[in-house]
């Protein structure tokens, strides 16, 4: 289990993540939603150690990660796909993937398993990643994170700017990974996508988790979505 307990994160002196507690179980996808500025990305960065953490607990499979530097997080089983993908555009597809393998201490067998999820990347291993389409770049960013062989995966807006067909392929991959036991914390602004793939939804406002519900309950009664996001579905 990925367990977050009373976690706080700061930009300088300003607290932007405020005593947040939740968990993501083995083989579960938890969606994190809220308006722009609610603190969703800040929460992911705080978990990863990319923002100062002053109090709280971050435990993955009973191992405390609170004091762990960000560059060591992959070796402890947690991977992060940031908004905007953050690929090394001058490197080819294979080189980007090998960076993930190095971070996780993994080899060719892991690479083969990841490429089986995204066959299009296998056809483009020697192509410079900066020349890929937006959808292919998102697949590469996700594939690079999976090369770590993470126990928990943090995803920030993976569907942003992508065609519906590509979004569907990414969601299908997440559903498959969930079936293999991966824990996924998914920040997603597309409500239909979040409700399709997530087991539970956390609704965030002003740096706090204000509401939690099973995705199917929100699909049946979208009033909390209207309150905290401003849309029905």
């Amino acid at each position: 289990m990925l367990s977050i307990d009373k976690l706080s994160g700061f930009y300088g002196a300003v607290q932007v993540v405020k005593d947040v507690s939740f968990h993501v179980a083995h083989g579960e996808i938890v969606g994190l939603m809220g308006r722009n500025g609610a603190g969703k990305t800040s929460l992911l960065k705080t978990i990863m150690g990319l923002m100062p953490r002053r109090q709280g607990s971050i435990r993955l499979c009973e191992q405390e990660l609170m004091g762990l530097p960000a560059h060591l997080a992959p070796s402890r089983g947690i991977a992060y796909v940031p908004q905007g993908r953050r690929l090394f555009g001058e490197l080819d597809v294979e080189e980007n993937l090998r960076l993930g393998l190095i971070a996780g201490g993994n080899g060719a067998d892991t690479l083969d398993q990841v490429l089986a999820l995204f066959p299009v990347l296998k056809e483009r291993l020697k192509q410079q990643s900066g020349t890929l389409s937006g959808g292919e770049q998102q697949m590469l960013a996700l594939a690079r994170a999976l090369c770590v062989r993470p126990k928990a995966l943090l995803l920030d807006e993976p569907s942003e700017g992508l065609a519906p067909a590509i979004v569907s392929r990414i969601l299908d991959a997440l559903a498959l990974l969930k079936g293999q036991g991966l824990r996924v914390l998914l920040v997603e602004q597309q409500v239909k996508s979040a409700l399709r793939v997530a087991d539970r939804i956390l609704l965030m406002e002003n740096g706090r988790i204000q509401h939690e519900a099973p995705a199917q309950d929100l699909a049946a009664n979208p009033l909390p979505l209207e309150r905290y996001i401003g849309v029905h579905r």
Side-chain angles (χ1 to χ4, degrees):
M1 180 180 294
L2 173 64
S3 180
I4 309 300
D5 185 40
K6 297 181 180 178
L7 183 65
S8 295
F10 292 77
Y11 277 130
V14 180
Q15 186 176 6
V16 292
V17 176
K18 304 171 183 176
D19 304 317
V20 168
S21 298
F22 66 94
H23 71 274
V24 185
H26 178 85
E28 183 180 35
I29 298 177
V30 173
L32 180 62
M33 306 185 73
R35 291 182 172 88
N36 289 337
K40 307 180 298 297
T41 294
S42 295
L43 175 57
L44 298 190
K45 289 182 175 180
T46 302
I47 294 171
M48 288 299 298
L50 297 170
M51 283 179 49
R53 304 174 290 201
R54 298 186 186 173
Q55 62 186 44
S57 174
I58 304 165
R59 297 184 68 84
L60 177 59
C61 301
E62 301 306 319
Q63 183 179 24
E64 180 61 57
L65 305 181
M66 182 63 178
L68 192 71
H71 70 277
L72 292 180
S75 67
R76 300 299 191 274
I78 187 165
Y80 175 43
V81 181
Q83 189 176 18
R85 299 148 197 162
R86 305 288 177 85
L87 298 171
F88 294 95
E90 71 281 5
L91 301 182
D92 64 31
V93 168
E94 184 175 9
E95 288 168 333
N96 271 275
L97 293 174
R98 291 201 177 280
L99 290 174
L101 295 174
I102 292 169
N106 300 309
D109 57 336
T110 298
L111 180 60
D112 290 342
Q113 292 171 21
V114 169
L115 290 174
L117 271 178
F118 302 109
V120 67
L121 297 179
K122 192 171 185 178
E123 302 169 5
R124 291 163 169 71
L125 285 176
K126 298 305 179 183
Q127 183 173 336
Q128 192 175 38
S129 62
T131 67
L132 298 173
S133 69
E136 290 165 348
Q137 288 187 15
Q138 186 61 67
M139 291 181 200
L140 177 55
L142 178 54
R144 183 178 62 183
L146 294 175
C147 282
V148 174
R149 295 185 74 95
K151 299 172 184 174
L153 177 66
L154 311 185
L155 280 172
D156 196 354
E157 302 280 12
S159 68
E160 185 178 36
L162 302 184
I166 300 298
V167 173
S168 183
R169 290 172 65 181
I170 290 173
L171 296 180
D172 287 345
L174 291 180
L176 179 61
L177 293 164
K178 167 189 166 180
Q180 297 173 357
L182 186 64
R183 305 155 185 83
V184 180
L185 179 59
L186 170 68
V187 171
E188 181 53 72
Q189 285 295 91
Q190 291 191 15
V191 175
K192 288 184 178 179
S193 295
L195 294 181
R196 170 184 160 183
V197 74
D199 299 288
R200 289 183 292 122
I201 300 291
L202 308 176
L203 295 172
M204 195 168 190
E205 185 178 65
N206 296 326
R208 301 182 187 273
I209 304 297
Q210 302 286 4
H211 187 85
E212 176 181 345
Q216 62 184 11
D217 289 0
L218 290 176
N221 175 22
L223 288 179
L225 295 175
E226 182 176 12
R227 177 178 178 182
Y228 292 107
I229 302 177
V231 297
H232 285 287
R233 275 185 282 181

